[in-house]
Amino acid sequence: MVLSRAQSESSDSSVHSTFASRYVRTSLPRFRMPDESIPKEAAYQIINDELMLDGNPRLNLASFVTTWMEPECDKLIMASINKNYVDMDEYPVTTELQNRCVNIIAHLFNAPLGDSETAIGVGTVGSSEAIMLAGLAFKRRWQNKMRAQGKPCDKPNIVTGANVQVCWEKFARYFEVELKEVKLRDGYYVMDPEKAVELVDENTICVAAILGSTLNGEFEDVKLLNDLLIKKNKETGWDTPIHVDAASGGFIAPFLYPELEWDFRLPLVKSINVSGHKYGLVYAGIGWVIWRSKEDLPEELIFHINYLGADQPTFTLNFSKGSSQVIAQYYQLIRLGFEGYRNIMENCQENATVLKTGLESTGRFTIVSKDRGVPLVAFSLKDRSRHDEFEVSDYLRRFGWIVPAYTMPPDAQNVTVLRVVIREDFSRTLAERLVVDIQKVLQELDALPSKFLVIAAGDNGAAEKAVKAVKAGDSDSVILVKKSEVETQRKVAEAWRKFVIAHKTNGVC
Ligand SMILES: *Cc1c(COP(=O)(O)O)cnc(C)c1O
């Protein structure tokens, strides 16, 4: 019997194994929409399978962003995945939950609120949007002030440390504000408050301090900054305010260091942002910005939507967004409570200590994160003469671990660090296992030829290095060449090294 084309197609999708169906057996165009539909099972399988090649989020130790939530919360998220947050009229309860979150977080940050006063703040897609909004509020407030004084207001600037997260550079470029960065130095990787205050001038819209530097988790000294700036404001008659970028530290400090004054307890702190999707313990897609008081958010930036006879003020960059993250944030806040957050943060801190102690016991690393700060461990190799941190990072990937290596910003560019962020779902067992795997990586690297060949004629102090290497029995990493041949020799050496690594890798399989 000869089947018609239609019959054969339907039998193809319903009878054959998904993998043997023609939809999966042939490849789809990658950059153009395919002409025909495919069955849902095939679409699912094709996409699911390609995604298997992504890293495992739970092993992604590069990220602060939450990768695990309780199944009950996953259920709430799925149930609200089809709710557009902006339809406040239709979903008033969701709006109410966001307002509760804003108030809970404002109290956590010690906003000076009277008993019946509600907090000023908004949920955002993340700290980046929160920072754009806070920055805009500072810019507008400064412009209004300058105009009132009949002064020019076309050259606003913002003072930060060179360790700021990229979103501040984005804010500066998109909203035309000059970014004045305090340089770092060897051994000091956060903004120096004294130097920051020196950079402040009449056109400074705010100084941004970071509670939990992205680079090494360290808290900047907001209290000292506040005190120095109060003094300068008094001397100059300016009223330069402070913003605290507490993207990662905003959900750490209140629980682990309640005595630390970094928030609205300091009078110059006018706004604070925090990432709900970092230590707020919600999946990617939520942040918060809180203002100290109504006066700190210029009225003209707020759009008023009238719904059900009530005034709904909005101040966000985009219109539609999902509701799930807001609901999930509310879940975490009430499910965990203060006690729950504190337990989780303490556990993260303990796991960071386990990892740090393990790394120190190898004798091979210098720790560049601090005990007080965001629970992460940032570390550098003590001896970089044969291998560097990028290589350790590469090798760890083969065990499944994603541990980033990066160089510090100016003026500490000569420092490279590896960074492991400890999240709620990074258990003690995993911390111990990571130490074991790092030890294995070090052994493997030790057995390899050095990444850096000492090329005598090319390097500064090369002769000295060569003598040292030979004395250490490492003469195969020394080649003496004429200056004119340095480049060629480097290439040959690099190719040889690649060959050795490839050979070794294949040998294992
Ligand atoms: C992560 C981070 C940001 C950006 O936050 P998103 O929530 O990812 O937009 C800004 N500043 C600091 C200090 C951060 O750690």
Side-chain angles (χ1 to χ4, degrees):
M1 191 180 97
V2 178
L3 290 173
S4 73
R5 190 176 144 85
Q7 279 169 318
S8 92
E9 270 174 20
S10 76
S11 79
D12 189 47
S13 61
S14 57
V15 176
H16 287 293
S17 112
T18 303
F19 291 105
S21 75
R22 67 187 174 89
Y23 307 104
V24 180
R25 286 167 79 165
T26 56
S27 59
L28 289 169
R30 284 206 299 153
F31 300 132
R32 283 176 192 278
M33 185 182 274
D35 293 332
E36 287 163 10
S37 310
I38 59 174
K40 54 188 192 293
E41 297 81 5
Y44 170 81
Q45 202 67 49
I46 289 168
I47 298 170
N48 178 70
D49 292 5
E50 200 166 357
L51 284 174
M52 292 193 305
L53 292 161
D54 262 350
N56 176 347
R58 298 276 309 274
L59 297 180
N60 177 5
L61 308 183
S63 178
F64 290 94
V65 176
T66 302
T67 48
W68 180 86
M69 293 187 78
E70 288 172 334
E72 287 73 12
C73 192
D74 285 352
K75 256 202 262 179
L76 286 171
I77 289 172
M78 286 315 292
S80 50
I81 202 124
N82 56 355
K83 248 189 215 181
N84 185 357
Y85 179 78
V86 92
D87 296 341
M88 298 180 208
D89 198 354
E90 289 78 8
Y91 312 125
V93 178
T94 305
T95 308
E96 164 68 15
L97 296 189
Q98 122 130 352
N99 293 343
R100 287 184 203 166
C101 290
V102 165
N103 280 276
I104 291 171
I105 295 166
H107 281 288
L108 205 56
F109 296 169
N110 295 295
L113 294 169
D115 280 346
S116 57
E117 230 178 318
T118 51
I120 310 291
V122 65
T124 57
V125 178
S127 278
S128 303
E129 187 190 6
I131 283 166
M132 305 289 153
L133 299 176
L136 278 174
F138 283 118
K139 186 179 169 188
R140 186 56 66 95
R141 190 174 157 277
W142 169 84
Q143 282 173 331
N144 289 346
K145 188 190 68 186
M146 295 299 269
R147 281 198 193 106
Q149 298 175 358
K151 290 180 180 162
C153 58
D154 56 342
K155 290 203 164 53
N157 70 62
I158 194 163
V159 174
T160 67
N163 53 318
V164 281
Q165 213 263 1
V166 65
C167 68
W168 285 97
E169 290 166 38
K170 264 192 189 175
F171 166 74
R173 203 183 297 172
Y174 291 176
F175 296 103
E176 302 186 341
V177 175
E178 183 199 350
L179 194 63
K180 293 186 28 172
E181 290 182 345
V182 179
K183 295 256 196 308
L184 310 183
R185 54 182 190 266
D186 252 3
Y188 191 86
Y189 307 121
V190 290
M191 178 175 73
D192 179 339
E194 305 234 4
K195 292 203 175 124
V197 173
E198 275 169 30
L199 285 183
V200 168
D201 60 30
E202 198 174 7
N203 294 328
T204 303
I205 63 171
C206 81
V207 180
I210 308 173
L211 198 79
S213 174
T214 318
L215 304 174
N216 71 343
E218 190 172 347
F219 291 162
E220 291 183 347
D221 192 342
V222 194
K223 173 133 181 35
L224 178 58
L225 175 68
N226 177 79
D227 296 350
L228 293 171
L229 206 48
I230 285 182
K231 204 163 143 248
K232 179 147 186 173
N233 283 346
K234 235 185 221 143
E235 287 163 10
T236 56
W238 306 333
D239 64 347
T240 313
I242 296 173
H243 175 87
V244 183
D245 176 359
S248 57
F251 277 106
I252 303 284
F255 305 108
L256 293 186
Y257 314 107
E259 81 297 344
L260 182 72
E261 289 182 46
W262 63 274
D263 53 16
F264 293 118
R265 279 168 287 182
L266 304 172
L268 288 186
V269 174
K270 303 298 184 189
S271 50
I272 300 173
N273 69 276
V274 64
S275 294
H277 54 215
K278 291 185 179 174
Y279 289 95
L281 307 177
V282 179
Y283 296 134
I286 189 145
W288 303 93
V289 53
I290 312 286
W291 283 272
R292 181 184 197 85
S293 69
K294 255 198 177 115
E295 292 71 54
D296 298 303
L297 176 57
E299 182 65 27
E300 67 262 37
L301 292 178
I302 304 171
F303 286 76
H304 291 268
I305 303 174
N306 205 335
Y307 86 101
L308 297 178
D311 171 48
Q312 180 63 55
T314 86
F315 179 33
T316 50
L317 291 182
N318 77 309
F319 195 65
S320 298
K321 71 169 179 180
S323 296
S324 299
Q325 261 67 1
V326 170
I327 292 163
Q329 182 75 79
Y330 186 67
Y331 172 91
Q332 292 291 44
L333 293 173
I334 62 152
R335 143 81 175 134
L336 295 170
F338 195 91
E339 179 194 23
Y341 270 93
R342 192 184 51 211
N343 281 340
I344 288 168
M345 302 314 153
E346 274 173 5
N347 184 40
C348 289
Q349 201 69 290
E350 281 164 22
N351 287 331
T353 307
V354 167
L355 178 60
K356 188 180 133 213
T357 313
L359 291 172
E360 278 172 336
S361 73
T362 66
R364 302 283 291 266
F365 299 106
T366 309
I367 307 292
V368 298
S369 41
K370 304 281 169 185
D371 286 339
R372 183 148 98 168
V374 177
L376 62 79
V377 187
F379 51 107
S380 299
L381 278 170
K382 280 186 184 161
D383 176 8
R384 310 179 75 236
S385 65
R386 289 175 55 83
H387 301 288
D388 63 13
E389 290 80 0
F390 295 100
E391 220 167 5
V392 175
S393 172
D394 276 354
Y395 269 62
L396 278 170
R397 275 207 182 225
R398 297 199 302 178
F399 290 87
W401 301 109
I402 301 170
V403 176
Y406 49 89
T407 53
M408 289 286 195
D411 284 340
Q413 305 94 316
N414 56 331
V415 181
T416 308
V417 296
L418 290 149
R419 186 190 72 187
V420 175
V421 175
I422 312 292
R423 294 188 305 264
E424 179 186 5
D425 54 329
F426 186 73
S427 61
R428 183 70 54 97
T429 313
L430 287 182
E432 288 166 355
R433 187 152 186 121
L434 177 61
V435 172
V436 171
D437 289 346
I438 288 175
Q439 279 165 338
K440 281 190 209 152
V441 162
L442 290 173
Q443 277 167 10
E444 282 186 36
L445 287 176
D446 287 346
L448 281 181
S450 166
K451 178 171 182 177
F452 306 106
L453 289 169
V454 179
I455 299 182
D459 294 340
N460 278 342
E464 213 174 288
K465 278 191 218 161
V467 171
K468 244 195 208 161
V470 174
K471 273 191 189 157
D474 191 21
S475 54
D476 55 340
S477 73
V478 180
I479 302 175
L480 293 169
V481 288
K482 286 194 204 125
K483 214 165 186 160
S484 58
E485 289 168 12
V486 166
E487 259 324 297
T488 325
Q489 286 296 341
R490 258 191 224 285
K491 281 186 191 143
V492 171
E494 196 44 43
W496 166 240
R497 202 167 164 283
K498 272 193 191 137
F499 171 78
V500 173
I501 291 170
H503 190 69
K504 199 166 173 347
T505 315
N506 293 339
V508 175
C509 308

